[in-house]
Amino acid sequence: KNEVEQSPQNLTAQEGEFITINCSYSVGISALHWLQQHPGGGIVSLFMLSSGKKKHGRLIATINIQEKHSSLHITASHPRDSAVYICAVVPNFGNEKLTFGTGTRLTIIP
Amino acid sequence: IAGITQAPTSQILAAGRRMTLRCTQDMRHNAMYWYRQDLGLGLRLIHYSNTAGTTGKGEVPDGYSVSRANTDDFPLTLASAVPSQTSVYFCASSPDRQSALHFGNGTRLTVT
């Protein structure tokens, strides 16, 4: 079982819809990352958080450490939000290296 | 150079050949990483370096080697390429292990 599970694996929505992508993990962590990968491959860091909530423009990331769960929300979705969204955690034991989920492919239809 | 630069962008390589993937950053970040990305498996760490002069093995290090002679450069070498090393390779850096990552644009490698 992967230490980091994302759901859904694929998500298609209409432009303007509110989007939620979930990430659950099974280990204790010191931080969690949300990354965005557009078609063509470039990966961009969206958020790094260890508690609470962060907001940047139309993107909101939340984390519940006790429940080992994080969500990425997109408000007023737009076709340019179409990408793969990747969750990654920093375990608080061992060598503290990132463990990645397999990503959620989001497609926003105009 | 702005951020992280990887070269080449793509490469087709015959099995058994030696290949070095280049990664250079101009942000003076201490930590650098090499990942491979394969369909359905997500990103997996190959090797890392917490600071110049030090390196460590990641999740899938076999068949790969790295060096970190200075802060800016972190090359990844395949000594004798095999088809299972066909993948997209990403170099990343961060100021330290607890900071956000900056990624290069990736190198698409095909080993035939």
Side-chain angles (χ1 to χ4, degrees):
Chain A
K1 184 181 185 300
N2 197 6
E3 290 178 339
V4 181
E5 298 281 352
Q6 289 186 234
S7 63
Q9 287 187 317
N10 294 283
L11 177 58
T12 300
Q14 291 291 131
E15 182 174 357
E17 286 189 39
F18 181 80
I19 303 299
T20 296
I21 299 170
N22 297 298
C23 176
S24 297
Y25 51 92
S26 57
V27 298
I29 67 168
S30 58
L32 181 144
H33 296 252
W34 280 103
L35 310 169
Q36 179 192 56
Q37 185 172 25
H38 276 287
I43 300 174
V44 175
S45 178
L46 297 175
F47 296 102
M48 188 183 73
L49 63 166
S50 54
S51 65
K53 175 173 144 178
K54 286 190 176 180
K55 183 175 189 294
H56 185 259
R58 295 180 294 105
L59 301 178
I60 303 165
T62 64
I63 188 168
N64 185 317
I65 293 292
Q66 287 72 31
E67 294 186 3
K68 294 186 168 59
H69 181 268
S70 175
S71 293
L72 177 68
H73 305 286
I74 305 174
T75 62
S77 59
H78 190 276
R80 65 175 174 266
D81 297 325
S82 298
V84 175
Y85 292 84
I86 301 168
C87 170
V89 301
V90 184
N92 57 14
F93 63 91
N95 60 14
E96 297 181 0
K97 293 299 172 280
L98 283 175
T99 301
F100 292 82
T102 55
T104 294
R105 183 174 299 276
L106 174 66
T107 303
I108 303 297
I109 299 171
Chain B
I1 297 176
I4 295 183
T5 301
Q6 288 186 236
T9 303
S10 65
Q11 181 75 45
I12 298 174
L13 187 67
R17 298 295 296 269
R18 180 184 180 90
M19 174 76 190
T20 295
L21 308 185
R22 299 185 299 277
C23 175
T24 299
Q25 52 105 357
D26 63 355
M27 298 173 284
R28 308 302 294 172
H29 284 173
N30 284 319
M32 296 188 76
Y33 310 88
W34 274 106
Y35 295 96
R36 60 178 289 172
Q37 186 178 40
D38 302 289
L39 195 63
L41 293 178
L43 287 154
R44 292 182 292 168
L45 182 65
I46 304 171
H47 285 286
Y48 66 94
S49 170
N50 289 330
T51 189
T54 70
T55 63
K57 292 182 179 181
E59 183 183 354
V60 287
D62 294 343
Y64 306 96
S65 63
V66 292
S67 62
R68 187 88 184 275
N70 57 61
T71 297
D72 298 345
D73 301 301
F74 191 44
L76 176 74
T77 297
L78 289 67
S80 179
V82 294
S84 62
Q85 292 177 311
T86 293
S87 187
V88 181
Y89 292 86
F90 286 96
C91 180
S93 73
S94 65
D96 53 62
R97 289 179 292 174
Q98 294 296 330
S99 298
L101 287 173
H102 297 255
F103 284 85
N105 287 329
T107 294
R108 184 174 295 274
L109 181 67
T110 302
V111 182
T112 60

